[in-house]
Amino acid sequence: ENYGDVTLTGTGRYAGGLVGYTEYGFLMGENGSLLNEGRVAGFNYTGGIIGYAAKYHESCVYLPSGTVNRSEVTGNQYVGGLIGAVVVGDKGVAGVKISGNYSNEAEVRGTYAVGGLFGTVQATSAEKDEGIIDFGGNMTNTGKVVMGGVSETIASSNAGGIVGYLYGRKNITITGELVNRGEIVATTRYAGATGDVVNTATDLNAGGLFGYVLINTGEMTLDISADLINEAPVSGQGVNEEFRNVSQR
């Protein structure tokens, strides 16, 4: 449990209410719970519980069911109410499984890959039977998700009530019940190669549950058997906007 504020100044990375960066068994068992009630402010890879969770050499385990964030999380790229970024990759890692009862109850703010629970979840291995995401459980976001400010390097932006950017190299399975009750507001601007700020990002994807879902192989599958529920408005402005009441994929 954490009840104190966490502030990372400058352009440093990996700020979390409990853990900034973790690897080799980052999701700490099926039992118990994790709680953050302190404000977390960072730059890239910022989360209410964990900033950056990497898993490169073994199979994944579970985030404890009952994990909750109750305080504001702010950052730049890859910002989530629970985890800023979950990245599982390299040969020998089947993929990532996140399943349990999770919730975020506070505002989450960033400029790219911003999610009420997870900024991004990625399984990047291209090997056979790898690059798989198994995503589900009972997940709820009630905090406002704001994607705003100026990004100097990324011309596209993704924001969602549950996950900002979900990327599986092979297969993605979504089960359980995913609920968003927090308003999604996307107004990111892009500085461009010359540094001149244009009014909006080139591509802007905002969804009540997922900002952007990508599977990157010719034999890809997307299997959704979950109850997907969005009860809040989704709004924003971009050159090529994609806004969905439930999800954009």
PDB file of all heavy atoms in Angstrom, residues 102-126:
ATOM      1  N   TYR A 102      -9.760  -5.473 -11.050  1.00  0.00           N
ATOM      2  CA  TYR A 102      -8.917  -4.294 -10.974  1.00  0.00           C
ATOM      3  C   TYR A 102      -9.759  -3.036 -11.166  1.00  0.00           C
ATOM      4  O   TYR A 102     -10.736  -3.049 -11.918  1.00  0.00           O
ATOM      5  CB  TYR A 102      -7.834  -4.315 -12.066  1.00  0.00           C
ATOM      6  CG  TYR A 102      -7.091  -5.616 -12.181  1.00  0.00           C
ATOM      7  CD1 TYR A 102      -6.923  -6.241 -13.409  1.00  0.00           C
ATOM      8  CD2 TYR A 102      -6.560  -6.228 -11.056  1.00  0.00           C
ATOM      9  CE1 TYR A 102      -6.237  -7.431 -13.516  1.00  0.00           C
ATOM     10  CE2 TYR A 102      -5.876  -7.425 -11.156  1.00  0.00           C
ATOM     11  CZ  TYR A 102      -5.718  -8.026 -12.389  1.00  0.00           C
ATOM     12  OH  TYR A 102      -5.042  -9.209 -12.490  1.00  0.00           O
ATOM     13  N   SER A 103      -9.341  -1.945 -10.524  1.00  0.00           N
ATOM     14  CA  SER A 103     -10.093  -0.711 -10.718  1.00  0.00           C
ATOM     15  C   SER A 103      -9.207   0.510 -10.556  1.00  0.00           C
ATOM     16  O   SER A 103      -8.219   0.498  -9.820  1.00  0.00           O
ATOM     17  CB  SER A 103     -11.264  -0.627  -9.732  1.00  0.00           C
ATOM     18  OG  SER A 103     -10.804  -0.562  -8.396  1.00  0.00           O
ATOM     19  N   ASN A 104      -9.579   1.548 -11.289  1.00  0.00           N
ATOM     20  CA  ASN A 104      -8.976   2.870 -11.134  1.00  0.00           C
ATOM     21  C   ASN A 104     -10.086   3.855 -10.829  1.00  0.00           C
ATOM     22  O   ASN A 104     -11.111   3.885 -11.519  1.00  0.00           O
ATOM     23  CB  ASN A 104      -8.243   3.315 -12.402  1.00  0.00           C
ATOM     24  CG  ASN A 104      -7.774   4.749 -12.287  1.00  0.00           C
ATOM     25  OD1 ASN A 104      -6.967   5.088 -11.419  1.00  0.00           O
ATOM     26  ND2 ASN A 104      -8.300   5.617 -13.143  1.00  0.00           N
ATOM     27  N   GLU A 105      -9.865   4.709  -9.806  1.00  0.00           N
ATOM     28  CA  GLU A 105     -10.901   5.628  -9.363  1.00  0.00           C
ATOM     29  C   GLU A 105     -10.477   7.088  -9.463  1.00  0.00           C
ATOM     30  O   GLU A 105     -11.133   7.958  -8.894  1.00  0.00           O
ATOM     31  CB  GLU A 105     -11.284   5.300  -7.910  1.00  0.00           C
ATOM     32  CG  GLU A 105     -11.786   3.869  -7.734  1.00  0.00           C
ATOM     33  CD  GLU A 105     -11.992   3.481  -6.283  1.00  0.00           C
ATOM     34  OE1 GLU A 105     -11.821   4.363  -5.405  1.00  0.00           O
ATOM     35  OE2 GLU A 105     -12.323   2.313  -6.021  1.00  0.00           O
ATOM     36  N   ALA A 106      -9.380   7.368 -10.180  1.00  0.00           N
ATOM     37  CA  ALA A 106      -8.856   8.730 -10.221  1.00  0.00           C
ATOM     38  C   ALA A 106      -8.496   9.132 -11.649  1.00  0.00           C
ATOM     39  O   ALA A 106      -8.371   8.299 -12.544  1.00  0.00           O
ATOM     40  CB  ALA A 106      -7.633   8.850  -9.315  1.00  0.00           C
ATOM     41  N   GLU A 107      -8.285  10.430 -11.854  1.00  0.00           N
ATOM     42  CA  GLU A 107      -7.952  10.948 -13.178  1.00  0.00           C
ATOM     43  C   GLU A 107      -6.578  10.473 -13.626  1.00  0.00           C
ATOM     44  O   GLU A 107      -5.636  10.419 -12.839  1.00  0.00           O
ATOM     45  CB  GLU A 107      -7.992  12.475 -13.165  1.00  0.00           C
ATOM     46  CG  GLU A 107      -7.698  13.105 -14.516  1.00  0.00           C
ATOM     47  CD  GLU A 107      -7.897  14.607 -14.525  1.00  0.00           C
ATOM     48  OE1 GLU A 107      -9.022  15.046 -14.195  1.00  0.00           O
ATOM     49  OE2 GLU A 107      -6.936  15.341 -14.857  1.00  0.00           O
ATOM     50  N   VAL A 108      -6.477  10.149 -14.922  1.00  0.00           N
ATOM     51  CA  VAL A 108      -5.214   9.751 -15.553  1.00  0.00           C
ATOM     52  C   VAL A 108      -4.975  10.693 -16.726  1.00  0.00           C
ATOM     53  O   VAL A 108      -5.855  10.880 -17.565  1.00  0.00           O
ATOM     54  CB  VAL A 108      -5.270   8.291 -16.039  1.00  0.00           C
ATOM     55  CG1 VAL A 108      -3.943   7.893 -16.674  1.00  0.00           C
ATOM     56  CG2 VAL A 108      -5.624   7.345 -14.897  1.00  0.00           C
ATOM     57  N   ARG A 109      -3.756  11.229 -16.804  1.00  0.00           N
ATOM     58  CA  ARG A 109      -3.489  12.263 -17.805  1.00  0.00           C
ATOM     59  C   ARG A 109      -2.118  12.038 -18.463  1.00  0.00           C
ATOM     60  O   ARG A 109      -1.136  11.767 -17.780  1.00  0.00           O
ATOM     61  CB  ARG A 109      -3.521  13.646 -17.148  1.00  0.00           C
ATOM     62  CG  ARG A 109      -3.294  14.819 -18.074  1.00  0.00           C
ATOM     63  CD  ARG A 109      -3.303  16.128 -17.297  1.00  0.00           C
ATOM     64  NE  ARG A 109      -4.628  16.430 -16.790  1.00  0.00           N
ATOM     65  CZ  ARG A 109      -5.533  17.168 -17.430  1.00  0.00           C
ATOM     66  NH1 ARG A 109      -5.230  17.676 -18.624  1.00  0.00           N
ATOM     67  NH2 ARG A 109      -6.705  17.407 -16.907  1.00  0.00           N
ATOM     68  N   GLY A 110      -2.051  12.158 -19.795  1.00  0.00           N
ATOM     69  CA  GLY A 110      -0.800  12.047 -20.528  1.00  0.00           C
ATOM     70  C   GLY A 110      -0.971  12.537 -21.948  1.00  0.00           C
ATOM     71  O   GLY A 110      -2.007  13.113 -22.303  1.00  0.00           O
ATOM     72  N   THR A 111       0.050  12.298 -22.809  1.00  0.00           N
ATOM     73  CA  THR A 111      -0.012  12.757 -24.195  1.00  0.00           C
ATOM     74  C   THR A 111      -0.063  11.616 -25.212  1.00  0.00           C
ATOM     75  O   THR A 111      -0.432  11.838 -26.361  1.00  0.00           O
ATOM     76  CB  THR A 111       1.195  13.644 -24.544  1.00  0.00           C
ATOM     77  OG1 THR A 111       2.393  12.865 -24.482  1.00  0.00           O
ATOM     78  CG2 THR A 111       1.305  14.819 -23.597  1.00  0.00           C
ATOM     79  N   TYR A 112       0.304  10.384 -24.809  1.00  0.00           N
ATOM     80  CA  TYR A 112       0.290   9.263 -25.746  1.00  0.00           C
ATOM     81  C   TYR A 112       0.111   7.963 -24.973  1.00  0.00           C
ATOM     82  O   TYR A 112       0.724   7.762 -23.931  1.00  0.00           O
ATOM     83  CB  TYR A 112       1.592   9.199 -26.555  1.00  0.00           C
ATOM     84  CG  TYR A 112       1.701   7.952 -27.410  1.00  0.00           C
ATOM     85  CD1 TYR A 112       0.996   7.850 -28.607  1.00  0.00           C
ATOM     86  CD2 TYR A 112       2.477   6.874 -27.004  1.00  0.00           C
ATOM     87  CE1 TYR A 112       1.065   6.698 -29.385  1.00  0.00           C
ATOM     88  CE2 TYR A 112       2.555   5.719 -27.782  1.00  0.00           C
ATOM     89  CZ  TYR A 112       1.845   5.631 -28.969  1.00  0.00           C
ATOM     90  OH  TYR A 112       1.909   4.492 -29.724  1.00  0.00           O
ATOM     91  N   ALA A 113      -0.723   7.046 -25.493  1.00  0.00           N
ATOM     92  CA  ALA A 113      -0.987   5.750 -24.861  1.00  0.00           C
ATOM     93  C   ALA A 113      -1.394   5.947 -23.405  1.00  0.00           C
ATOM     94  O   ALA A 113      -0.671   5.617 -22.474  1.00  0.00           O
ATOM     95  CB  ALA A 113       0.208   4.822 -24.980  1.00  0.00           C
ATOM     96  N   VAL A 114      -2.579   6.498 -23.229  1.00  0.00           N
ATOM     97  CA  VAL A 114      -3.109   6.810 -21.902  1.00  0.00           C
ATOM     98  C   VAL A 114      -4.335   5.948 -21.658  1.00  0.00           C
ATOM     99  O   VAL A 114      -5.260   5.925 -22.469  1.00  0.00           O
ATOM    100  CB  VAL A 114      -3.479   8.302 -21.806  1.00  0.00           C
ATOM    101  CG1 VAL A 114      -3.913   8.649 -20.383  1.00  0.00           C
ATOM    102  CG2 VAL A 114      -2.321   9.180 -22.242  1.00  0.00           C
ATOM    103  N   GLY A 115      -4.346   5.214 -20.539  1.00  0.00           N
ATOM    104  CA  GLY A 115      -5.464   4.341 -20.239  1.00  0.00           C
ATOM    105  C   GLY A 115      -5.897   4.437 -18.793  1.00  0.00           C
ATOM    106  O   GLY A 115      -5.066   4.680 -17.907  1.00  0.00           O
ATOM    107  N   GLY A 116      -7.187   4.236 -18.543  1.00  0.00           N
ATOM    108  CA  GLY A 116      -7.679   4.275 -17.187  1.00  0.00           C
ATOM    109  C   GLY A 116      -6.996   3.258 -16.290  1.00  0.00           C
ATOM    110  O   GLY A 116      -6.699   3.547 -15.124  1.00  0.00           O
ATOM    111  N   LEU A 117      -6.694   2.067 -16.824  1.00  0.00           N
ATOM    112  CA  LEU A 117      -5.980   1.050 -16.063  1.00  0.00           C
ATOM    113  C   LEU A 117      -4.560   0.839 -16.585  1.00  0.00           C
ATOM    114  O   LEU A 117      -3.616   0.792 -15.799  1.00  0.00           O
ATOM    115  CB  LEU A 117      -6.748  -0.278 -16.086  1.00  0.00           C
ATOM    116  CG  LEU A 117      -7.799  -0.453 -14.982  1.00  0.00           C
ATOM    117  CD1 LEU A 117      -8.941   0.536 -15.167  1.00  0.00           C
ATOM    118  CD2 LEU A 117      -8.336  -1.875 -14.959  1.00  0.00           C
ATOM    119  N   PHE A 118      -4.409   0.698 -17.899  1.00  0.00           N
ATOM    120  CA  PHE A 118      -3.099   0.414 -18.504  1.00  0.00           C
ATOM    121  C   PHE A 118      -2.854   1.369 -19.664  1.00  0.00           C
ATOM    122  O   PHE A 118      -3.684   1.483 -20.564  1.00  0.00           O
ATOM    123  CB  PHE A 118      -3.038  -1.025 -19.023  1.00  0.00           C
ATOM    124  CG  PHE A 118      -3.381  -2.066 -17.991  1.00  0.00           C
ATOM    125  CD1 PHE A 118      -4.679  -2.550 -17.881  1.00  0.00           C
ATOM    126  CD2 PHE A 118      -2.410  -2.553 -17.127  1.00  0.00           C
ATOM    127  CE1 PHE A 118      -4.993  -3.509 -16.926  1.00  0.00           C
ATOM    128  CE2 PHE A 118      -2.716  -3.497 -16.168  1.00  0.00           C
ATOM    129  CZ  PHE A 118      -4.018  -3.989 -16.063  1.00  0.00           C
ATOM    130  N   GLY A 119      -1.685   2.037 -19.657  1.00  0.00           N
ATOM    131  CA  GLY A 119      -1.347   2.872 -20.796  1.00  0.00           C
ATOM    132  C   GLY A 119      -1.182   2.038 -22.051  1.00  0.00           C
ATOM    133  O   GLY A 119      -1.764   2.328 -23.095  1.00  0.00           O
ATOM    134  N   THR A 120      -0.366   0.979 -21.959  1.00  0.00           N
ATOM    135  CA  THR A 120      -0.213   0.039 -23.064  1.00  0.00           C
ATOM    136  C   THR A 120       0.043  -1.352 -22.527  1.00  0.00           C
ATOM    137  O   THR A 120       0.656  -1.524 -21.476  1.00  0.00           O
ATOM    138  CB  THR A 120       0.938   0.457 -24.005  1.00  0.00           C
ATOM    139  OG1 THR A 120       0.943  -0.399 -25.164  1.00  0.00           O
ATOM    140  CG2 THR A 120       2.291   0.358 -23.328  1.00  0.00           C
ATOM    141  N   VAL A 121      -0.455  -2.368 -23.255  1.00  0.00           N
ATOM    142  CA  VAL A 121      -0.141  -3.772 -23.004  1.00  0.00           C
ATOM    143  C   VAL A 121       0.324  -4.349 -24.324  1.00  0.00           C
ATOM    144  O   VAL A 121      -0.405  -4.298 -25.320  1.00  0.00           O
ATOM    145  CB  VAL A 121      -1.359  -4.555 -22.476  1.00  0.00           C
ATOM    146  CG1 VAL A 121      -1.011  -6.032 -22.306  1.00  0.00           C
ATOM    147  CG2 VAL A 121      -1.865  -3.968 -21.164  1.00  0.00           C
ATOM    148  N   GLN A 122       1.567  -4.907 -24.352  1.00  0.00           N
ATOM    149  CA  GLN A 122       2.140  -5.378 -25.605  1.00  0.00           C
ATOM    150  C   GLN A 122       2.777  -6.751 -25.435  1.00  0.00           C
ATOM    151  O   GLN A 122       3.500  -6.995 -24.466  1.00  0.00           O
ATOM    152  CB  GLN A 122       3.212  -4.405 -26.101  1.00  0.00           C
ATOM    153  CG  GLN A 122       2.721  -2.989 -26.333  1.00  0.00           C
ATOM    154  CD  GLN A 122       3.793  -2.089 -26.898  1.00  0.00           C
ATOM    155  OE1 GLN A 122       4.728  -2.544 -27.558  1.00  0.00           O
ATOM    156  NE2 GLN A 122       3.668  -0.802 -26.655  1.00  0.00           N
ATOM    157  N   ALA A 123       2.529  -7.648 -26.397  1.00  0.00           N
ATOM    158  CA  ALA A 123       3.232  -8.928 -26.506  1.00  0.00           C
ATOM    159  C   ALA A 123       3.882  -8.943 -27.875  1.00  0.00           C
ATOM    160  O   ALA A 123       3.199  -9.057 -28.898  1.00  0.00           O
ATOM    161  CB  ALA A 123       2.264 -10.097 -26.343  1.00  0.00           C
ATOM    162  N   THR A 124       5.200  -8.817 -27.909  1.00  0.00           N
ATOM    163  CA  THR A 124       5.883  -8.477 -29.162  1.00  0.00           C
ATOM    164  C   THR A 124       6.631  -9.621 -29.831  1.00  0.00           C
ATOM    165  O   THR A 124       7.173  -9.441 -30.912  1.00  0.00           O
ATOM    166  CB  THR A 124       6.873  -7.331 -28.903  1.00  0.00           C
ATOM    167  OG1 THR A 124       7.874  -7.767 -27.978  1.00  0.00           O
ATOM    168  CG2 THR A 124       6.165  -6.109 -28.347  1.00  0.00           C
ATOM    169  N   SER A 125       6.702 -10.810 -29.226  1.00  0.00           N
ATOM    170  CA  SER A 125       7.458 -11.903 -29.826  1.00  0.00           C
ATOM    171  C   SER A 125       6.797 -12.382 -31.113  1.00  0.00           C
ATOM    172  O   SER A 125       5.577 -12.556 -31.179  1.00  0.00           O
ATOM    173  CB  SER A 125       7.571 -13.086 -28.854  1.00  0.00           C
ATOM    174  OG  SER A 125       8.193 -14.190 -29.500  1.00  0.00           O
ATOM    175  N   ALA A 126       7.622 -12.643 -32.160  1.00  0.00           N
ATOM    176  CA  ALA A 126       7.115 -13.110 -33.445  1.00  0.00           C
ATOM    177  C   ALA A 126       7.221 -14.624 -33.592  1.00  0.00           C
ATOM    178  O   ALA A 126       6.878 -15.178 -34.634  1.00  0.00           O
ATOM    179  CB  ALA A 126       7.870 -12.429 -34.581  1.00  0.00           C
TER     180      ALA A 126
END
